[in-house]
Structures are given as structure tokens and as C-alpha cells.
Amino acid sequence: MAEITVEFDDLPARLLDWYAAHARELPWRVGPGARAAGERPDPYRVWLAEIMLQQTTIPHGARYFQAFTDRWPTVGDLAAAEDADVMAAWAGLGYYARARNLLKCAREVAARGGFPQTAAELLELPGIGPYTAGAIAALAFDAPAAAVDGNVERVFARLMALETPWEEAKREIRVRVESLVPVDRPAEFAEGLMDLGATICTPKNPNCIICPLSDLCAARAAGEMARYPLKPKKAAKPQRYGAVFVLVGEAGIAVERRPNTGLLGGMLGLPGSDWTDAPPREPLDAAPAQADWRRVGEVRHVFTHFALSLEVWRAEGAAPEEVLAKDRLGDLPSVFKKAAKLVLS
């Protein structure tokens, strides 16, 4: 299928009109009516939400956002927090390097006296990439910056019926979006595109009938909406194996603090073996204490780059070091929480 050239001169005005009527209400957002009255969001809340919503859903991320802002209402409060407290509060959100960068960024921003206001300066902060920099600059500071996330890429891949390889297509999309950002309303434009992709131009079964841009869409004109974006097929995730040990005592279960670097760095975890390409031959060699260990089952978890299967072993006895109360399992990363729940259920 040949690429179709589409003109988007009136796209910003159409999108802004649609957004004014259909904007989602989100706890970190200042809606179009409030913006028109001069209200602006707290950059801290915008930044925190954007970091949390990477690789998770809004309903899941919103619960963490509320808990964080209740406990640490300002970037200065977060900067002064203990690392272990923040890592525990992050447990369950996944992609734990984000939590470590969250603290680094908060401390740097506090030292600066506030967030920088341009995308270029924001990019210099830990954990902030091109999309997040553009989003914070536009949403918090009304800078004429493009915020191009997966939703926006999907919308424009369909609007433009892009046939080019995906990495090249993403560059084309960014250039096109940057050319369309209205200098007087960049925040609403960015939020409108996000909402359009999240609620109408969805990955499956886009609702083209109510889309405000449907007659501009080359993919719809060709009846090929499901064809785009043309992303390469994902390679199968490699499989890894290991063993994990749940030592149960009166006060709770034995836990340990993982090294600060590497996967789940700095988080509380359960003792266990290394994660390798084959199931452990002698799993009890990695047990944290001499005890009557018995295998109770297996848990599986999928990380970004690999899938993991863990044999789960249980024993009773006094923990050699740190103990986690049984009602505090939420402090554990998901993979270890699954193992603990399997034992305690």
C-alpha cells in the first residue's frame, strides 16, 4: 500500500474542541476549564504521574500516585525520604529502576530549587527521557513541546498510514507532531492526543465513528485501521529459572534487602538462588538457613526482558536477620509477593 499524504492544518483546532468536551478527569491534571481560568498543575505532580504511568495502567498507577502525594506532598518531601521507604511504597509498580531514578531526580530538583521549564533542561534529569521531558514542559509550563508517547504514535501512524520501518516512522511522527503543537495551548494539545489514543484510537477496535479526526485519517480511508502501526514482531522472551525460600516464623517471613544495582535493586526480597537458563539442580544449596524445607509449588512472572519460573520452598523457623510481618506483603515486589502468598495461603 502506497503512503498517503494527508494535510493536518485544522487538526489542532479539531482536537482542542474535542478535548474541551471530553477531557478525562485525572488526579494530576488541570482540566481545560481550569486552564482557561489561569490554573496550572504542580510540576511535581505532573512529573510523578508521568514516571508512574510508564508501563502501567491509569487505574493501577493512580492508587500509587495518591499514596505518594499523601505521604510526600512536595518534591522536597520526597527528596528527604528514606530510600527504603520509597522503594517499599513503589513495590507492585514494577520497573524498579524508575523508583531509584525517582529519588535521584527528586533530590536534584530539590537542590536546584525547582523543576527546569524546558524539555532540553528536563532531559538532563535522572529518569527523564524525550517523551517525559516534552510532557512535563508542555503540561506543567505551557512550553510548546511535543509529548509523543505510544498513544500518540499509534494515532499518527494511522492518520498518516505510515509504511516506513517503525524506528523511522517514529521519527516522522515526532517531526509531524512538533509541527502541529499550538504555541498558545500546548498542554491541552498534548493531553488531547493522549486521551484520543487512550479512549478512541485504541490498539484494537478503534472507535472511528466518534473520532474527531476520522475524515483526516488515511488508514480509515483505506479501511486499514488495524494494520497500523507497522511495528516489528516482538521476539519471544527468554526463560529463566530459580528457587525462592519462604521461612515462616511467629513474627513473619524472612526477607533480605537486594543489592542496589541490578534487577529489583534496593527492594526487599525473599532469599533465593540465582536466576539461570535451567532449573536449579540442587535448589536447597541456596536456602538461607538449615530447616525442614519442602517444595510447595511454583510461581511465574514476566519481566521486561525475560520470563521467570521460581520453585517455591517453605519451612518454619526463626529468621536469621530481617523479618516482614505477614500483613506487609505489599512491601514486596510482585514476583516475591506471589511466592509468599502461595506459602501463606
Side-chain angles (χ1 to χ4, degrees), residues 64 71 84-93 96 253 255-257 264 266-270 322-337 340-341:
Y64 284 84
R71 188 171 182 181
D85 291 341
V86 174
M87 298 304 286
W90 190 273
L93 264 179
Y96 294 98
I253 61 174
V255 292
E256 61 185 17
R257 183 71 59 180
L264 306 181
M267 303 293 294
L268 277 182
L270 296 174
E322 193 168 359
V323 175
L324 183 70
K326 296 174 186 177
D327 62 356
R328 295 283 305 277
L329 298 186
D331 291 356
L332 294 171
S334 296
V335 62
F336 295 126
K337 185 161 56 178
K341 284 185 173 181

Side-chain angles (χ1 to χ4, degrees), residues 254-278:
V255 292
E256 61 185 17
R257 183 71 59 180
R258 294 176 64 84
N260 286 329
T261 57
L263 191 62
L264 306 181
M267 303 293 294
L268 277 182
L270 296 174
S273 69
D274 293 336
W275 300 344
T276 59
D277 296 334

Side-chain angles (χ1 to χ4, degrees), residues 243 245 272-273 280-288 290:
F245 301 93
S273 69
R281 292 184 178 181
E282 300 291 342
L284 294 181
D285 287 349
Q290 292 293 326

Side-chain angles (χ1 to χ4, degrees), residues 1-341:
M1 176 178 171
E3 185 175 321
I4 301 172
T5 302
V6 185
E7 297 298 330
F8 295 140
D9 292 346
D10 62 343
L11 184 152
R14 289 193 192 194
L15 181 72
L16 291 170
D17 286 345
W18 174 83
Y19 177 70
H22 301 284
R24 293 178 294 175
E25 292 185 6
L26 301 172
W28 47 85
R29 177 180 283 183
V30 169
R35 278 192 178 275
E39 186 177 344
R40 295 295 179 267
D42 180 351
Y44 168 64
R45 293 171 70 87
V46 173
W47 163 73
L48 184 62
E50 291 297 337
I51 299 299
M52 284 186 166
L53 292 177
Q54 295 168 11
Q55 308 293 335
T56 194
T57 64
I58 283 180
H60 186 61
R63 294 194 294 271
Y64 284 84
F65 176 86
Q66 193 62 55
F68 264 70
T69 51
D70 286 347
R71 188 171 182 181
W72 301 295
T74 71
V75 70
D77 294 325
L78 183 60
E82 295 291 336
D83 289 38
D85 291 341
V86 174
M87 298 304 286
W90 190 273
L93 264 179
Y95 302 88
Y96 294 98
R98 288 182 296 156
R100 296 193 293 274
N101 281 329
L102 191 81
L103 270 170
K104 291 178 184 177
C105 186
R107 288 163 182 167
E108 185 165 332
V109 168
R112 286 172 174 245
F115 282 90
Q117 299 187 17
T118 68
E121 291 175 299
L122 286 160
L123 269 173
E124 298 173 1
L125 296 174
I128 294 184
Y131 161 72
T132 307
I136 298 170
L139 303 184
F141 300 112
D142 280 327
V148 183
D149 67 354
N151 282 321
V152 176
E153 289 172 345
R154 181 171 60 257
V155 168
F156 274 84
R158 288 171 174 164
L159 285 171
M160 300 166 69
L162 286 173
E163 295 283 336
T164 48
W166 185 233
E167 290 304 314
E168 181 181 342
K170 291 200 293 185
R171 290 190 290 270
E172 291 182 46
I173 289 167
R174 172 165 285 279
V175 170
R176 181 59 67 95
V177 175
E178 288 173 345
S179 74
L180 293 169
V181 176
V183 294
D184 58 335
R185 297 173 70 184
E188 292 161 276
F189 181 77
E191 289 172 333
L193 282 179
M194 293 175 196
D195 284 9
L196 188 73
T199 64
I200 291 180
C201 195
T202 51
K204 296 180 180 178
N205 303 315
N207 198 346
C208 301
I209 293 175
I210 62 172
C211 177
L213 310 179
S214 60
D215 62 325
L216 301 179
C217 183
R220 183 169 189 257
E224 295 270 17
M225 295 83 74
R227 174 179 168 81
Y228 302 96
L230 296 180
K231 294 183 179 180
K233 292 183 179 179
K234 293 182 179 179
K237 292 181 185 287
Q239 178 69 49
R240 293 185 185 172
Y241 303 87
V244 66
F245 301 93
V246 184
L247 184 62
V248 183
E250 291 185 7
I253 61 174
V255 292
E256 61 185 17
R257 183 71 59 180
R258 294 176 64 84
N260 286 329
T261 57
L263 191 62
L264 306 181
M267 303 293 294
L268 277 182
L270 296 174
S273 69
D274 293 336
W275 300 344
T276 59
D277 296 334
R281 292 184 178 181
E282 300 291 342
L284 294 181
D285 287 349
Q290 292 293 326
D292 182 17
W293 292 102
R294 61 185 181 87
R295 190 180 188 278
V296 296
E298 181 181 82
V299 295
R300 298 183 179 184
H301 192 76
V302 178
F303 292 100
T304 309
H305 300 298
F306 65 93
L308 177 66
S309 294
L310 289 178
E311 297 179 10
V312 181
W313 293 77
R314 181 191 193 280
E316 295 185 3
E321 294 182 12
E322 193 168 359
V323 175
L324 183 70
K326 296 174 186 177
D327 62 356
R328 295 283 305 277
L329 298 186
D331 291 356
L332 294 171
S334 296
V335 62
F336 295 126
K337 185 161 56 178
K338 290 177 183 179
K341 284 185 173 181

